[in-house]
Amino acid sequence: MSARAQAAFQRGQDAIHAGDLQDGVFWLERAERMARQSPNVIWALAIAFLNVGRVPDCLKRMERLYGKYSLREAAFLSVVCLVRLNETTEATSRLGAALSKFHILPELRQLATQLSQATGLQGWCTASNAGWVDVEASGSVRVLLDGVEIGRGNCGRYTFPEGWRTARRLEVRVGRKHALGSPIDLQALIRCESLVRATARGLEGWLWFPSEPEHVPSITLWDGRVILVPEFAPDVDSDVPLSRPRSFLLDKGFIPEGDCGPLVLQDEHGRSLTGAPVDPVVGRLVSGKGKLPRRLYPVPVESWAHRPRDARISIGCAVVIPVYRDLAGTTACLRSVLETVPPGIEIIVVDDATPEPKLADFLDNLVQDSKITLVRHKSNQGFPASANDGMRLTAGRDVILLNSDTLVSPGWIERLRARLAFTDVGTVTPFSNDASILSYPSVDAENAVPDQAEARKQDLLCQALFSREEACIDLPTGNGFCMAITAECLADTGLFREDLFAQGYGEENDFCLRASAQGYRHFPAPDVYVAHIGSTSFGSSRKALMGRNLEILNALHPGYDAKVAEFIESDPLRDFRRQMDLSRMDDLREERSSILLIQHDAGGGVGRVVRQRAQMFEQQDFLALTLRPTFLGCKLEWPLEKEKSFPNLEFTLPEKLPFLIAALARLKIHSIEWHHLVGHAPCIRTLHEELRVPYDVFVHDHIWFCPRISLLDGHGRYCGEPDVAGCETCIATWGSYLGENLTVSELVLRSGQEFGRANRLMVPSRDTAQRMARHFPQNHFVPVPLEDDPVLLSNVSGQKRGVSGRPLRICIVGGLSRWKGYDILLAMAECVRSLSLPVELVLVGHTPDDETLIAAGVKVTGEYREDEALDLIREQNADIGFIPSVAPETWCYALGVLWKSGLEVLCFDIGAQSERVRFSGVGAVVPLGMPVEFLVSFILRRWGPVS
């Protein structure tokens, strides 16, 4: 998929550079569907949309890029889109918001003037990191810095006075009104993304200003020297599109000799670069070259002996909360702490030089009300230093280190402290939505961030389930978002290594490993849940800092990665998470019974039917659950809302079959509906017996009697459904896809027996019912149509003819396997090309070999979501739909979506597709096996333009 996306992206770029904008858009759309999260693809496609006049599509993507990355170019180009859509008022408002945070794109200066004039404003302004503001205005101008006038006159450039970098608000007034863009948020303007790291070569790094990428930055060294950084960095791994970091290298000639300790590097606005202070000697550590001082000697990770587990007495506890920015999140955190803190617990807040005055005022008010102890830094020093300053004040008490982007619930402190009651305990960490190995519900995917009410609900669940669980599970490390530390562990281990980990990430892991070497253990607190919003402090530098610090961590503690990987593989917390999932799913059930739908793991039409059936059962007041196969067993899911995730209800089979049965019994399974058993363990076929419930069967394909499933031989031809002996010969020749060691006769016998024991046998179409009845005459199959064909056909107005002067466009839809007609489509493309016929073939979908089809001249859109299909088909402006399936389909959703798009459809005379087209009275059915030359000729006669 990644390779296809890259190929499509390159082809789109090449087409645009060649001047073929429409073709470029097609390929970039294909790339976007295969790489939906790639900001670079989204950006390129948005620009292409703008150039071909698809302005709403461009605007949608610009807004998405701005919302996720605060991208300057997206902010300004959203304004361009709105202007082209004649939404002048909104465009002006957006431009003002952009100018208040970013230096203007040079190309938009004239547009800014036009918008300000069109909306009755007197002018506009834009500021620069170089220390000036440009004003375009028609009246007298006043410039104010934090309310103090620094300039007065006409339009032009105003230079800022010394000390401007500490100001927050720049106002530009024309007469009594603000110029467009005023007031300007100076702290947003001067925000710098950066990183510095020690390597074998010296100190290397990069920096840039996202508000003004054109600005050439400088860095100030520890000795006052200023170094300009003009060169763009070619190899910085950034998630931010259009990022333009500039790189520097300070070789050994810049660095003091000997073990000089950490060095401070600052940007031109006086703030430490991310990763600074940085110790040059660390370069020897991570490179493995050169002599190290004792403080940096690596300590290999091993199974250290534990301290004795005896009862301990704590003299008290303090909560330490480092704070930097995010007024709303920090105030929510502190209020949740203040509401839940028991008497005698000191709350120590460390203000790490917050740039937000309102946050500083909020902390001052808490101090005045005697609710917190406040430590305030004069300059930003980072999380490790802030945590250390707070922990130094705890005076022999236990510590609960808490991030300022968390939400806690009543009783959390008491429950954490209860788990610090033994002498072998070093740290204790609760469950959270974002806590690495202690995350819930998923440890390997991003979880939704709960609000206060949901966090409290999760905490009550943990408390109810695990309050009596001892949970002596050794963690490789605690997690600093909320980590309780015993006083003895802190005294013996020492504070965080602020000299190595700078602004943070990895410092608590290093602390825990040093504590483990002292014999202390790290435990989970499964009866506590703390919501964690996640980092908002480092922007695009975050990923780089994490990578840098992880490199240091692994160099200091060889074997750490392997230890964490071993823990993740064994996953001793899985049973806790599974109990939580099952309890939540049971709460979802309320007083209802449940229906279990068994399906394969391939999605497609089966998955769509299962969702439809699940919705129907929910309307009938059942809880509808699905069971999918996994590599080692199965997974129980609720299919209707992705937000309600239960990823831990996986069961290894047959080992965990009793647990699965117990879970299903708890969920009050009323009946089971088989949709597909491929991939499932054999014991799933008898699950209804274990649960003593009835089951129905919904037939989706011919796997019940055909081990090849599709009724095609190895040449891709319909087999004609011979007798069992003929089937045995086919399987002996071409092989089976069944995945089971069964002969055809054994398969038919088993299927007949399972059909006979089923309560109801359902099929999608009459054709499928008749076909199944031929093989299983003793059973009755009931057609249950999957769509309302008359409603779909109401979109088809009648026979269309192609447009004179352009090729006839034929649209095919779906994931095209061989039995779905891949060979037919390829042969048609080759026929069209060889005979130079006026036909275009478009596949809205994908195949196992898109590249061969594309080389033959077929336009292939690539994968799409179900909700995108209709728009994609309509975008092709096709004249006819074609279903090239050469096997009997049991329903064919592709036919329905083609009808819904307004197209008549052609198909071969086989299966449900033929039955439905014939009954519709529109479109056409042609004989299976019709040569492609005749097929294309028929299409041109029937639908081609009238001569």
Side-chain angles (χ1 to χ4, degrees):
M1 183 78 77
S2 177
R4 285 183 177 185
Q6 291 177 29
F9 179 74
Q10 188 59 54
R11 192 158 180 172
Q13 295 284 62
D14 291 346
I16 287 171
H17 292 153
D20 191 345
L21 296 181
Q22 293 294 347
D23 199 43
V25 166
F26 174 85
W27 289 107
L28 290 175
E29 283 188 289
R30 172 179 163 88
E32 185 189 50
R33 282 189 290 274
M34 290 186 287
R36 294 183 183 275
Q37 302 306 315
S38 170
N40 293 315
V41 173
I42 296 169
W43 171 262
L45 178 58
I47 294 298
F49 279 151
L50 189 63
N51 287 331
V52 298
R54 290 175 59 177
V55 180
D57 290 326
C58 176
L59 178 61
K60 177 181 177 182
R61 284 158 179 81
M62 289 298 175
E63 290 174 338
R64 178 180 171 190
L65 287 170
Y66 181 72
K68 186 168 184 178
Y69 300 103
S70 295
L71 185 64
R72 177 183 77 146
E73 290 80 0
F76 284 115
L77 285 179
S78 294
V79 175
V80 173
C81 290
L82 289 164
V83 169
R84 293 197 183 181
L85 294 171
N86 294 317
E87 297 185 25
T88 304
T89 301
E90 179 63 19
T92 305
S93 174
R94 297 266 190 104
L95 178 59
L99 289 170
S100 72
K101 297 179 180 178
F102 306 108
H103 186 70
I104 193 169
L105 293 176
E107 301 86 350
L108 297 190
R109 285 179 170 268
Q110 184 175 354
L111 179 61
T113 299
Q114 292 171 352
L115 281 177
S116 62
Q117 291 174 349
T119 53
L121 297 172
Q122 299 300 309
W124 60 275
C125 59
T126 186
S128 169
N129 278 275
W132 48 259
V133 60
D134 276 349
V135 183
E136 291 287 337
S138 58
S140 60
V141 174
R142 295 175 64 225
V143 181
L144 300 96
L145 197 64
D146 282 346
V148 178
E149 185 175 299
I150 61 170
R152 179 190 290 262
N154 299 316
C155 65
R157 178 166 294 182
Y158 291 82
T159 302
F160 301 151
E162 287 293 327
W164 71 271
R165 293 175 173 88
T166 60
R168 299 202 52 81
R169 180 182 171 98
L170 177 73
E171 295 175 74
V172 176
R173 294 182 176 270
V174 183
R176 295 184 177 182
K177 295 183 178 180
H178 283 285
L180 186 64
S182 173
I184 293 172
D185 182 348
L186 289 176
Q187 295 305 307
L189 178 77
I190 67 175
R191 182 175 68 87
C192 180
E193 297 289 348
S194 61
L195 182 78
V196 60
R197 57 197 293 265
T199 70
R201 298 198 298 168
L203 300 180
E204 299 183 47
W206 52 265
L207 73 163
W208 68 299
F209 292 94
S211 68
E212 191 180 5
E214 302 85 2
H215 179 70
V216 177
S218 63
I219 55 175
T220 302
L221 305 187
W222 50 91
D223 56 7
R225 284 178 291 174
V226 177
I227 306 294
L228 205 62
V229 186
E231 299 296 328
F232 286 108
D235 56 357
V236 173
D237 183 14
S238 175
D239 293 331
V240 180
L242 303 180
S243 61
R244 281 165 277 178
R246 300 173 188 257
S247 61
F248 61 87
L249 168 62
L250 304 176
D251 60 24
K252 295 176 182 177
F254 282 88
I255 300 170
E257 295 183 1
D259 186 2
C260 61
L263 300 174
V264 176
L265 291 84
Q266 296 178 325
D267 66 20
E268 61 200 74
H269 302 308
R271 296 165 304 188
S272 292
L273 301 189
T274 303
V278 56
D279 191 337
V281 182
V282 171
R284 303 179 204 166
L285 172 70
V286 297
S287 66
K289 299 176 182 178
K291 185 178 180 181
L292 294 171
R294 180 171 295 278
R295 60 190 168 82
L296 292 180
Y297 281 0
V299 179
V301 174
E302 57 184 68
S303 297
W304 291 288
H306 298 154
R307 291 178 175 244
R309 187 171 178 79
D310 299 322
R312 65 177 287 271
I313 298 175
S314 170
I315 67 168
C317 179
V319 179
V320 174
I321 308 174
V323 166
Y324 178 51
R325 62 166 72 243
D326 183 17
L327 173 65
T330 301
T331 54
C333 169
L334 289 172
R335 285 181 177 130
S336 74
V337 172
L338 292 169
E339 290 170 0
T340 58
V341 64
I345 304 295
E346 184 181 12
I347 302 173
I348 302 171
V349 176
V350 182
D351 174 3
D352 193 21
T354 178
E356 301 181 14
K358 289 183 179 179
L359 179 53
D361 292 343
F362 175 75
L363 298 178
D364 289 338
N365 290 334
L366 293 180
V367 173
Q368 291 174 8
D369 294 340
S370 301
K371 292 183 176 180
I372 65 170
T373 299
L374 181 64
V375 178
R376 177 160 282 153
H377 290 165
K378 292 183 178 179
S379 62
N380 182 257
Q381 298 180 33
F383 183 87
S386 299
N388 286 347
D389 283 348
M391 291 190 290
R392 287 188 182 99
L393 299 181
T394 57
R397 291 169 289 176
D398 298 334
V399 176
I400 299 177
L401 183 61
L402 186 69
N403 275 18
S404 62
D405 57 356
T406 55
L407 296 171
V408 297
S409 301
W412 69 287
I413 292 179
E414 293 89 334
R415 280 172 275 144
L416 282 176
R417 293 192 69 191
R419 294 186 180 274
L420 302 179
F422 297 94
T423 54
D424 62 339
V425 179
T427 71
V428 171
T429 307
F431 276 128
S432 176
N433 58 290
D434 181 10
S436 185
I437 56 177
L438 287 148
S439 294
Y440 176 81
S442 177
V443 294
D444 53 13
E446 186 175 343
N447 296 310
V449 179
D451 58 19
Q452 182 74 68
E454 181 62 26
R456 187 161 295 188
K457 186 177 179 181
Q458 295 278 49
D459 184 66
L460 287 171
L461 174 63
C462 290
Q463 188 176 356
L465 290 175
F466 309 126
S467 61
R468 298 182 182 179
E469 295 272 0
E470 190 174 23
C472 285
I473 295 171
D474 284 290
L475 305 175
T477 176
N479 191 300
F481 87 98
C482 177
M483 188 168 73
I485 309 171
T486 62
E488 296 85 350
C489 176
L490 184 60
D492 291 339
T493 305
L495 298 171
F496 289 167
R497 295 291 302 272
E498 58 191 77
D499 59 324
L500 296 180
F501 296 101
Q503 287 78 13
Y505 295 118
E507 69 281 350
E508 78 269 36
N509 311 76
D510 167 73
F511 173 87
C512 289
L513 290 167
R514 289 187 284 122
S516 295
Q518 300 279 341
Y520 290 103
R521 302 167 72 183
H522 312 289
F523 294 124
D527 58 335
V528 184
Y529 179 93
V530 173
H532 186 200
I533 310 305
S535 174
T536 59
S537 299
F538 298 124
S540 62
S541 303
R542 177 175 181 263
K543 181 179 180 181
L545 183 65
M546 289 178 69
R548 189 205 83 148
N549 286 2
L550 186 60
E551 185 179 36
I552 295 172
L553 183 66
N554 281 297
L556 277 174
H557 304 282
Y560 170 71
D561 265 353
K563 187 176 181 70
V564 172
E566 179 185 348
F567 183 89
I568 292 173
E569 177 67 26
S570 62
D571 196 6
L573 297 174
R574 180 190 296 115
D575 286 343
F576 290 102
R577 297 195 307 273
R578 181 181 292 148
Q579 289 184 63
M580 293 171 71
D581 270 4
L582 185 57
S583 182
R584 287 173 51 236
M585 186 173 277
D586 200 28
D587 287 345
L588 185 67
R589 181 180 63 83
E590 297 175 327
E591 299 300 318
R592 300 177 291 171
S593 296
S594 302
I595 303 289
L596 182 66
L597 299 95
I598 299 175
Q599 64 179 114
H600 61 35
D601 198 37
V606 174
R608 183 170 175 176
V609 175
V610 167
R611 289 194 301 273
Q612 290 175 342
R613 300 285 294 176
Q615 289 169 347
M616 180 193 74
F617 287 126
E618 292 276 345
Q619 290 169 359
Q620 296 173 359
D621 205 27
F622 289 99
L623 175 65
L625 303 173
T626 60
L627 198 68
R628 294 177 183 266
T630 62
F631 181 69
L632 295 176
C634 64
K635 176 187 286 188
L636 186 63
E637 298 174 315
W638 188 53
L640 297 187
E641 284 188 35
K642 291 182 180 180
E643 291 75 16
K644 293 189 184 301
S645 174
F646 305 90
N648 305 289
L649 295 181
E650 289 193 22
F651 302 87
T652 303
L653 298 176
E655 176 188 350
K656 298 294 185 181
L657 179 61
F659 293 92
L660 172 62
I661 293 170
L664 294 174
R666 175 177 175 178
L667 294 167
K668 300 289 189 283
I669 299 298
H670 173 270
S671 64
I672 297 175
E673 193 166 278
W674 291 5
H675 285 266
H676 224 294
L677 293 163
V678 69
H680 279 289
C683 57
I684 298 301
R685 308 187 86 95
T686 57
L687 202 55
H688 58 283
E689 296 176 3
E690 299 286 351
L691 294 169
R692 298 182 182 179
V693 297
Y695 70 96
D696 298 331
V697 177
F698 202 115
V699 173
H700 290 277
D701 52 38
H702 306 103
I703 197 171
W704 300 95
F705 63 88
C706 173
R708 291 184 60 77
I709 305 175
S710 62
L711 303 179
L712 299 184
D713 64 17
H715 295 299
R717 295 185 298 241
Y718 174 54
C719 67
E721 300 178 48
D723 59 15
V724 170
C727 289
E728 296 283 14
T729 301
C730 175
I731 299 306
T733 305
W734 302 112
S736 167
Y737 298 139
L738 191 62
E740 298 180 78
N741 189 23
L742 289 176
T743 66
V744 176
S745 58
E746 289 170 340
L747 172 63
V748 172
L749 176 62
R750 184 183 71 178
S751 297
Q753 292 172 344
E754 290 175 337
F755 286 155
R757 290 191 287 266
N759 185 52
R760 188 181 184 210
L761 304 175
M762 293 167 282
V763 293
S765 61
R766 292 190 301 274
D767 178 271
T768 308
Q770 293 166 2
R771 202 174 299 275
M772 295 297 293
R774 288 201 299 272
H775 296 274
F776 304 98
Q778 70 276 24
N779 301 115
H780 178 61
F781 297 89
V782 179
V784 179
L786 303 178
E787 296 174 287
D788 190 335
D789 281 359
V791 172
L792 295 172
L793 285 162
S794 66
N795 297 283
V796 182
S797 58
Q799 182 173 336
K800 292 172 59 178
R801 306 293 301 201
V803 178
S804 180
R806 73 160 173 79
L808 185 76
R809 291 179 182 153
I810 304 173
C811 182
I812 302 95
V813 176
L816 222 61
S817 61
R818 196 173 191 189
W819 74 270
K820 291 273 191 179
Y822 176 87
D823 293 340
I824 296 292
L825 183 55
L826 180 59
M828 287 178 67
E830 291 170 343
C831 172
V832 167
R833 172 174 287 183
S834 64
L835 298 178
S836 298
L837 298 174
V839 171
E840 285 183 357
L841 298 167
V842 181
L843 172 61
V844 176
H846 59 98
T847 75
D849 186 6
D850 287 356
E851 288 70 26
T852 298
L853 278 181
I854 291 168
V858 180
K859 291 180 69 175
V860 183
T861 66
E863 286 79 352
Y864 58 85
R865 292 193 305 257
E866 189 176 305
D867 61 350
E868 296 173 323
L870 198 59
D871 287 339
L872 265 176
I873 295 169
R874 289 171 175 163
E875 283 175 17
Q876 310 315 315
N877 196 22
D879 302 299
I880 173 182
F882 178 39
I883 304 293
S885 297
V886 294
E889 298 211 38
T890 58
W891 182 250
C892 188
Y893 277 115
L895 174 60
V897 74
L898 284 168
W899 277 343
K900 195 172 183 180
S901 72
L903 294 177
E904 289 190 344
V905 176
L906 170 73
C907 70
F908 292 116
D909 190 10
I910 190 169
Q913 64 269 41
S914 171
E915 171 191 310
R916 295 170 67 198
V917 172
R918 284 186 185 280
F919 189 78
S920 73
V922 297
V925 174
V926 296
L928 182 65
M930 186 182 206
V932 291
E933 295 85 353
F934 294 174
L935 177 63
V936 176
S937 177
F938 171 80
I939 293 172
L940 284 170
R941 288 197 310 272
R942 174 80 182 257
W943 284 283
V946 178
S947 302

